[in-house]
Amino acid sequence: MKQILILTLIGAGALCWAQQNVTGQIADQRDGKPLRGVTIATKNSVVLATSDAQGRFSFATSDPAPEIVITKKGYSVHRITLALPLAEPLQILLSESVMDIEEISLSTGYQKLPKERNTGAFSSVKKDQIEKQVGTGIIERIANTANGVTIERGISGEPQLMVRGISTINGPKAPLIVVDDFPYEGSINNINPNIVESVTVLKDAAASSIWGARAANGVIVITTKKGKAGMQAEFMATTTLTDKPNLNNIPAMSSSDFIEVERELFKRDFYASEINSPSHPVLSPVVDLLQQEKTGMISADELENRLNYLKTVDAKEQFRKYMYQPAENRQYFLNLNGGSSQHTWIASLGYDDNTGNLGETYQRTTARLQNRWKASDRFSMVFGGQFTDSESASGKTGFGNIVMKYATAVPYMQFADANGNPLTVAKTYNQRYKESLNNGGLLDWNYYPLTNWKYDRAESRLQEIILNSGITYRILNGLEAEVKYQYQRQQADDLNDHGKNSYYARNYVNSFAQIAEDESIRFVVPKGGIRDYYESLTEVNNLRGQLNYNKTWGRHLVSALAGSEMREAKTDSKSQRYYGVDENNLNTGAVDYVNPYPMLVTGFEEYIQKSESIGGRNTRFVSLFANGAYTFDHKYTVSGSIRRDASNLFGLRTNDQWNPFWSAGAAWEVAKENFFPAGFLGSLKLRGSYGFNGNIDPAMVAVSTIAYDGDYSVYTGSATARFDNYYNPKLRWETSGMLNAGLDFATDNNRLTGSVDYFRKKGKDLFGPQLLDYTTGIGYMLTNIAETEGSGFDVHLNGLLINSGLKWQSVLNFSTFKDKVVNYYLQDPMANQFIGNGSNVPISGIAGRPVYSIFAYRWGGLNPETGDPIGYLNGEQSQDYNAITGTGTKAEELEYFGSAIPTVYGSSINTFTYQNFSLDVAIAYKLGYFFRRSSIHYSKLYDSWVGHKDFEVRWQKPGDENVTDVPSNTFNSNNNRDFFYNGSSVLVEKGDHIRLQYITLNYRLDTASLFANSKSMQEVNLFFNVTNPGILWRANKKGIDPDYQFGTNTVRTPAAFTIGLRTQF
Amino acid sequence: MKKALWTTLCLLIATLFFAGCSRFLEEKSDLKLTTPETLEDNQAILDRISDVLTNFALSGMSSSDDFYLTDADYAGLGYDEDKRLYTWQPDYVSTNQAIGNDWLYCYRAIFIANSVMYNIETYNIPNADNVRGQALVILAARYLDAAQTWCAAYKESTADQALGLPLRLDPDMNTPSIRSTLRETYAQIIRDLKEAIPLLPPKQVAVSRPSKAAALAYLARVYLVMGDYENSLNYSLQALEIQNTLMDFNTLNINDSYPIKDLNAEVILRASMRTSGPSRGATAKVPQSLYATYSPNDLRKAVFFRVNADQTILFRGNYTGNLSGKLVGLAVDEVYLMAAECYARSGNTTEAMTYLNALLQTRWKTGTYAPMTATNSQEALAVILNERRKELLFRGLRWMDLKRYNRDGANIVLTRTVLGQTYTLQPNDLRYAIAIPEDIVELSGIKQNPR
């Protein structure tokens, strides 16, 4: 047996001794027609042969009694043990499978569908593709490998998982995630990727309409591993190391530039009001030194020395040295399964222990048990449960999170001295004023970021239990009834512990200290720590009753299901704050929330923050659904599906509660036709589907609603409430339709399989935010604003390109998505609405343009005399920034670049196998889109210390306009000048890039030679993986990674290196 | 066995959908959400004063001579619109909606007050007089504030031609905005206030709710602006009948950062101004000339002002007790000054001086105040207006006063010097009606003020 294996790997037939030829023919049991493309393999899945058009095959073996496994999609698996030599060629008849479709089926969460009979667009990822990747979560692993799925990062800072682009303007854009049978409500990170058997992505209406309204953005169905008869165990362990981030991608301004700007502003008295302010706002260390020099506290020489020193300090270096550390993640997983033909079970235990780059920790324990019990021919049952416990704790303080003023810090911030001792960093108030107040009675008011994280910690714990059960009863032949129930309970406990030594607690206590005329101090906020607790408990009950009907008679095959579902998701939450916490004995103090107190520094009367609140939500759904397919002669299939949902979402009129969804589809197995020429293609199927749904946003209701704030007014002691939604009598339903046409094919020898899908989505009366004449009192309102259209292709190819000693398996995913606004109902959209604030991309409403488009102000270069940016007003060059960024520019006068979402995306995964080695290389690409890069914003620089390294190449003297596009520094705030420059075409870049996603090198140990008793160790794999090593190619010349360009503090995660072990025994 | 199972199943599914369904869906999805059908709900909407009684217009004060900016602080203003407003430019003096402007907050509050009145009617809410009265006062207060900002001074002879405000009488956002005439605008304000008076209790549980005293005092202010001194006096006296307590400044602790406290005895309605741009933080400096008019024994000199190390002067006498959110609602001191002014204008010198002295008595160091006298009503008026200037600075009233004084021929020319350049605003200049935000003109098609 083992010899065959090795021989086959080296190259069958090259070295043959004592070999016997096996020949045979395979046919369909039903009509006796020969079957081609049938795979003949050893029991260890080494392919020996594939049948030809006449169903014939042959292979050579040296095993006198080989066990062979014969498989073909849609047919029952056939296993035989041969006794060689054979007297005559083998004659094998395969029967079509109806029930036993586990391995070749697609799961929609309601049914398992043979691939052959489906009419919709699915893509699937098998466990080996998931297991070749590493990481704590499942989502990245799906996005890396599934067709038509991507993680979008172009619109806002939040990465967004997307299936086939966007379908809605205002609604949620995330696809529905289903685990086994029911939507998953909790944190998706609770799913251990190792329990996943397969993932099916439902992309078109025929595939997903069974899920109703929530399927609008596609559905991802995660199927977990199930028990198998016979004892088997699997163990896996990995260790992942990630280096410190180098912070080089952060476009920070240099310390010396920053200090020079501060000096000049100081000279111009820019800080005079702040220095004199009775509120004593924080001053930067440089301004403080300049003021000290001005008031004679330090000499001019000393000032120069200290400034020159500060110019050499780089906060990024401090962070690298004192805050960041290499990260280490460890993952262990054990899986056991076994049972008899009547009862099978699977049990697994997983443990993850992660320590991040800041020393933050995350531990996850997952345990799972699933049983299947077949009591009789008619009655079967599944039951099981899953438990997850994850704990996380904060670490040190990352770049951008040490805040001195507003949300920023100066680039020369220094929080550790040369010996690594903590230094004081100015924060909240004027440092010198703080020091003048400290007459001994107050707590230390200094901020020490180097050690503060030790006393200011966040911890959270998430515990989840899922219990599920289901019974299936076969009523008649082909008709079965199913009832499924799932209970999910997720408890989250968060604690923000501002210990008594934390700056937060010390500052809070001091700020409220009341100093009497005799200098005595009364602390209205008691000394000690401040703790914020947040607890929430979510309980989800799902109950589903369903009738399944599967019947074959003659050439007719019917498969249908109908059922109903109830679902309730209930969340209770509460938060609490304790003052004066003594961590040694857990004493807490009392505070007065009712009366305001003058703050010690500012003198403002303020109330002590009350953080007690309670919340209760309960959403309920009721659904009715039916789905059916009819197949004639195994060639022609038609399918249809319908669903209605009702919910208790507040304010909906009962009539609006029931939303209809339907879909219809058809498929044709062309290759099964007699006229289809035998030869190259072993299977060819054409598919088509159309689906329709209507949606009323739960936030858009038939009446105006208000929401209570949860707190009482400090003036009247009565409750306060705000408007939550506005009644709009003109509202209509949002409707959308999706068309899909596709084909699936496989070559005769199954070496190349693939699918091509074309889809078209049309949305009418889509909801979006409308900018209203705000004289109405409402600035924006959700209303029907647009008609959109989206279309694209999904191509999936899977080929065994080389099949000799070296095997090369290649998977290619190629998707396109183009959307456009067909009709926009609003009048006169304002140009500045399309520019957006910072790098966020707003919704654009111009017919013919994508929903998320990059628009920019026309750029006229820099003024050669002043270095001011030049724009256009009424076609003429202009520097009237108020008019340009105001009503002077019409939307159609903006320069249009293209989509902000990749219009072409996909991945390529290549697997090379040679002897015991296999190498996987995964590449992802995103093409055909644009983004807006960040640059200097002078008003923010002066006022909020937000710098940018583009400052270095700003216009400084006439002639510079030929070599730079960065405007001059005027020391005169002008937000509209900055807004124009930051929204101008000169900052728009192409987003196209190709990224190396991961590389995995696997070595399968030769167990036979290692262990005397090789029976016990079936398989041992050692692997090495690199995840996210970086960009291979990018279109922009600035060296910007378009996936990590948001904000000025986004730290790019370095590559992660993993070694791992996976065994089966 | 078989049958039993089948029956159970069918029953289960049937029960789920035919019996339990409607009740199952009746459960509220979020206990904090509701339709505003009860009196409590609507009172809760109005008690969220951040929506209705804060963020009164700032543009008038920014344009007035209550304060000035240093060149450095002017250069540091982030928005060019704020710089343009400070130098009385004819257009682009409001930031757009996304950043926020006076128009937005004004009409937001009007929408909320209209919604409450609509709810009371639609849901037939009983015993809603008080809540309805509060909503009416909020409407009037907002329109009056807006008229001082975006409309020309009220003049009887031109009130039918002059542009007023878009008057929104119900919460329907589909109704287009059209500017009324100035007469219609003032008539609406008076109508709302008069309607509110019988609905409201003399005083409320807190001065964050408009009371009858507030409605009366607002009427006094409206008539004062319109030049109807008889009515103004009448309503001033009615308001003082309900609330007339004055703070004795001798009892204030001048060592406190802000000696005047929030919700002090003089406040009639706690309505406050937007904090942004020029008046933000410690940039708004009090002119030396104004500071110099206070006598050393006048406690307001110490209570109202803080002199910085560099001799610049900051105002700290805000009636909400903080640096920001200046009180622009009503307080008893203003009502005393209105009564005094109206008496003087009607020729009653004695009564005029009585009201003025009653107020000033509480502002001076105990034992130092010698009651002021006037030989005739002209002299009395001059004294009263001078004291009005000294008492009501940073209260959102100066711009309104400049407009009405100039209308009546006071001939006050405003001058500001910025970065070496001098800007002036002549009496009755068209720019006394501040430009309506350009995006509003664009979005609604209403008429811009003539420039």
Side-chain angles (χ1 to χ4, degrees), chain B residues 334-383:
Chain B
E334 183 195 351
V335 187
Y336 268 84
L337 285 163
M338 286 197 286
E341 180 181 343
C342 292
Y343 272 126
R345 289 188 187 268
S346 62
N348 191 338
T349 313
T350 322
E351 280 299 318
M353 295 315 285
T354 306
Y355 274 88
L356 180 69
N357 285 324
L359 170 69
L360 292 181
Q361 190 79 45
T362 64
R363 280 3 188 199
W364 284 57
K365 255 181 217 160
T366 313
T368 61
Y369 184 69
M372 286 201 253
T373 52
T375 51
N376 58 40
S377 60
Q378 269 327 91
E379 207 183 301
L381 183 63
V383 173

Side-chain angles (χ1 to χ4, degrees), chain A residues 424-712:
Chain A
T424 301
V425 167
K427 187 179 169 74
T428 328
Y429 301 122
N430 186 320
Q431 182 66 23
R432 221 137 297 287
Y433 185 74
K434 273 189 196 174
E435 284 164 11
S436 76
L437 283 175
N438 209 346
N439 59 0
L442 292 174
L443 301 174
D444 176 7
W445 211 328
N446 290 335
Y447 177 43
Y448 311 103
L450 183 67
T451 51
N452 192 59
W453 59 272
K454 290 181 190 166
Y455 313 114
D456 203 331
R457 300 181 53 75
E459 287 167 20
S460 68
R461 182 163 193 194
L462 202 64
Q463 279 175 299
E464 185 187 61
I465 294 170
I466 297 177
L467 298 174
N468 65 289
S469 64
I471 49 172
T472 308
Y473 182 74
R474 191 161 59 80
I475 301 157
L476 304 163
N477 215 10
L479 179 68
E480 60 179 29
E482 244 181 332
V483 175
K484 282 181 175 153
Y485 172 74
Q486 181 178 289
Y487 169 78
Q488 186 177 358
R489 182 183 199 275
Q490 183 167 298
Q491 187 172 348
D493 294 281
D494 292 333
L495 164 64
N496 271 336
D497 183 3
H498 311 288
K500 71 169 194 283
N501 291 324
S502 69
Y503 177 77
Y504 183 95
R506 289 183 282 119
N507 177 54
Y508 207 88
V509 170
N510 278 349
S511 294
F512 273 98
Q514 307 291 308
I515 302 186
E517 263 158 46
D518 62 357
E519 298 276 295
S520 67
I521 302 177
R522 185 162 72 96
F523 289 98
V524 293
V525 173
K527 287 190 212 175
I530 298 172
R531 284 192 186 186
D532 288 311
Y533 287 91
Y534 175 77
E535 288 165 39
S536 85
L537 175 65
T538 301
E539 285 180 288
V540 187
N541 283 289
N542 282 293
L543 178 63
R544 181 187 295 165
Q546 185 175 323
L547 291 173
N548 300 324
Y549 183 68
N550 284 293
K551 184 89 181 165
T552 313
W553 68 95
R555 294 150 82 186
H556 310 278
L557 197 152
V558 170
S559 140
L561 65 90
S564 59
E565 200 169 48
M566 284 172 102
R567 165 180 180 74
E568 178 189 58
K570 210 171 148 179
T571 304
D572 288 310
S573 60
K574 63 178 180 208
S575 56
Q576 264 167 319
R577 165 171 273 215
Y578 295 97
Y579 289 99
V581 178
D582 182 334
E583 42 241 61
N584 295 323
N585 50 27
L586 298 183
N587 289 336
T588 62
V591 293
D592 171 11
Y593 292 128
V594 182
N595 298 300
Y597 290 93
M599 303 284 279
L600 182 57
V601 176
T602 63
F604 294 176
E605 297 223 319
E606 287 187 19
Y607 293 88
I608 297 169
Q609 189 187 332
K610 167 181 173 285
S611 300
E612 270 86 75
S613 74
I614 47 177
R617 282 166 192 276
N618 188 350
T619 51
R620 290 175 167 185
F621 289 91
V622 174
S623 314
L624 294 172
F625 54 86
N627 180 325
Y630 166 73
T631 307
F632 176 70
D633 204 18
H634 296 270
K635 293 177 195 156
Y636 315 104
T637 303
V638 289
S639 69
S641 147
I642 187 155
R643 175 175 172 125
R644 299 196 79 175
D645 289 315
S647 75
N648 72 334
L649 289 169
F650 189 70
L652 285 181
R653 272 189 295 237
T654 325
N655 288 347
D656 291 337
Q657 283 183 335
W658 289 94
N659 298 338
F661 302 91
W662 59 265
S663 74
W668 177 27
E669 287 269 8
V670 187
K672 285 192 180 166
E673 296 289 355
N674 290 334
F675 61 75
F676 194 76
F680 183 62
L681 285 183
S683 85
L684 177 66
K685 185 169 87 165
L686 299 178
R687 295 178 274 109
S689 75
Y690 181 77
F692 179 85
N693 74 48
N695 190 21
I696 189 132
D697 190 295
M700 318 198 33
V701 293
V703 289
S704 290
T705 59
I706 60 168
Y708 275 92
D709 292 322
D711 272 328
Y712 294 114

Side-chain angles (χ1 to χ4, degrees), chain B residues 312-330:
Chain B
T312 53
I313 301 153
L314 295 177
F315 179 75
R316 62 165 188 168
N318 176 21
Y319 269 41
T320 61
N322 279 348
L323 189 63
S324 57
K326 307 274 185 299
L327 185 94
V328 298
L330 299 151

